[in-house]
Amino acid sequence: GNSVTQMEGPVTLSEEAFLTINCTYTATGYPSLFWYVQYPGEGLQLLLKATKADDKGSNKGFEATYRKETTSFHLEKGSVQVSDSAVYFCALYDAGYSTLTFGKGTMLLVSP
Amino acid sequence: GAVVSQHPSWVICKSGTSVKIECRSLDFQATTMFWYRQFPKQSLMLMATSNEGSKATYEQGVEKDKFLINHASLTLSTLTVTSAHPEDSSFYICSALGPGGLASSYNEQFFGPGTRLTVL
């Protein structure tokens, strides 16, 4: 079956630090990959996506590249802000299934 | 973009009562909606898939008689937690499958803001 593995958090950074949150996946088909963000007390919001190998998703300064050879989709941001503090979920969508498969989420805490 | 709303955003109820949570797609029709449950510091656990006009498909281990799902229209799905108990306290999130439909190779899910249920 499909699965998504994320690095465990929390990840604690100072403002303007570089961020990497690792995500690897296992899938039987050719999935689309996503990063969702969940701010405290809110539902999930799509942050970025990539639908095929070598695609780079980007949004709000965050980037992730779909690496088929390493089955990875690591999230990066060059300079984090306090407002980026949230839980980040890596997910995949496989057309053979009808819904997303989520990782366990990684909490990011950014201090001033 | 597509917007999904949930109501209520939070609810507190007494043990033994039933609680209904609504999930609406505001600007698109959703033939398929999903209900998730999220425990503190955990990922989303898919509870059931709701298809308009048919019975919901429940994931293994989810009690059908306890978590009643109704998807009576293309814009509304409801989750009723029957005879709620403290262990049912959780964050419930719905999502709606985007306008692409199941035939598309890529189907984006749009998530509601969630409902915090606390059972006393």
Side-chain angles (χ1 to χ4, degrees):
Chain A
N2 296 339
S3 66
V4 176
T5 303
Q6 287 180 240
M7 61 188 293
E8 290 193 19
V11 174
T12 304
L13 296 172
S14 298
E15 204 166 26
E16 299 184 1
F18 185 85
L19 168 72
T20 300
I21 300 178
N22 290 338
C23 171
T24 57
Y25 67 90
T26 302
T28 53
Y30 299 94
S32 297
L33 301 175
F34 307 85
W35 277 100
Y36 282 85
V37 58
Q38 184 180 32
Y39 297 101
E42 299 183 10
L44 274 70
Q45 302 173 28
L46 179 64
L47 179 61
L48 54 84
K49 64 192 179 196
T51 58
K52 61 182 187 297
D54 299 325
D55 270 1
K56 176 185 285 188
S58 61
N59 184 28
K60 300 180 180 180
F62 291 90
E63 293 182 340
T65 301
Y66 189 141
R67 301 288 188 197
K68 185 179 178 183
E69 63 275 14
T70 55
T71 62
S72 65
F73 193 54
H74 304 321
L75 181 68
E76 297 182 336
K77 186 175 185 182
S79 176
V80 294
Q81 306 299 313
V82 173
S83 57
D84 294 327
S85 298
V87 180
Y88 292 82
F89 291 93
C90 185
L92 70 82
Y93 176 82
D94 187 332
Y97 300 84
S98 62
T99 188
L100 292 161
T101 300
F102 285 93
K104 289 189 175 181
T106 301
M107 178 177 287
L108 171 65
L109 299 172
V110 181
S111 57
Chain B
V3 178
V4 174
S5 69
Q6 276 185 246
H7 179 81
S9 55
W10 59 269
V11 57
I12 301 172
C13 69
K14 294 182 179 180
S15 184
T17 61
S18 295
V19 174
K20 179 184 285 187
I21 303 170
E22 294 185 348
C23 176
R24 294 182 184 273
S25 57
L26 298 185
D27 50 4
F28 67 100
Q29 293 183 332
T31 55
T32 301
M33 291 184 174
F34 304 95
W35 286 96
Y36 295 85
R37 183 174 179 177
Q38 186 181 26
F39 295 97
K41 300 183 180 181
Q42 297 286 322
S43 185
L44 283 73
M45 181 192 79
L46 179 65
M47 299 175 66
T49 301
S50 167
N51 292 296
E52 188 267 337
S54 63
K55 291 183 178 180
T57 302
Y58 290 82
E59 295 299 301
Q60 192 172 10
V62 178
E63 299 177 60
K64 302 178 183 181
D65 295 333
K66 181 163 190 62
F67 299 99
L68 300 180
I69 292 173
N70 183 278
H71 193 160
S73 78
L74 289 172
T75 59
L76 173 65
S77 176
T78 60
L79 168 68
T80 301
V81 183
T82 62
S83 186
H85 292 284
E87 58 265 29
D88 299 324
S89 299
S90 192
F91 194 53
Y92 292 87
I93 300 174
C94 75
S95 72
L97 203 60
L102 289 175
S104 299
S105 59
Y106 166 62
N107 295 292
E108 183 170 347
Q109 285 187 39
F110 299 92
F111 287 81
T115 297
R116 173 75 58 192
L117 170 63
T118 301
V119 184
L120 302 177

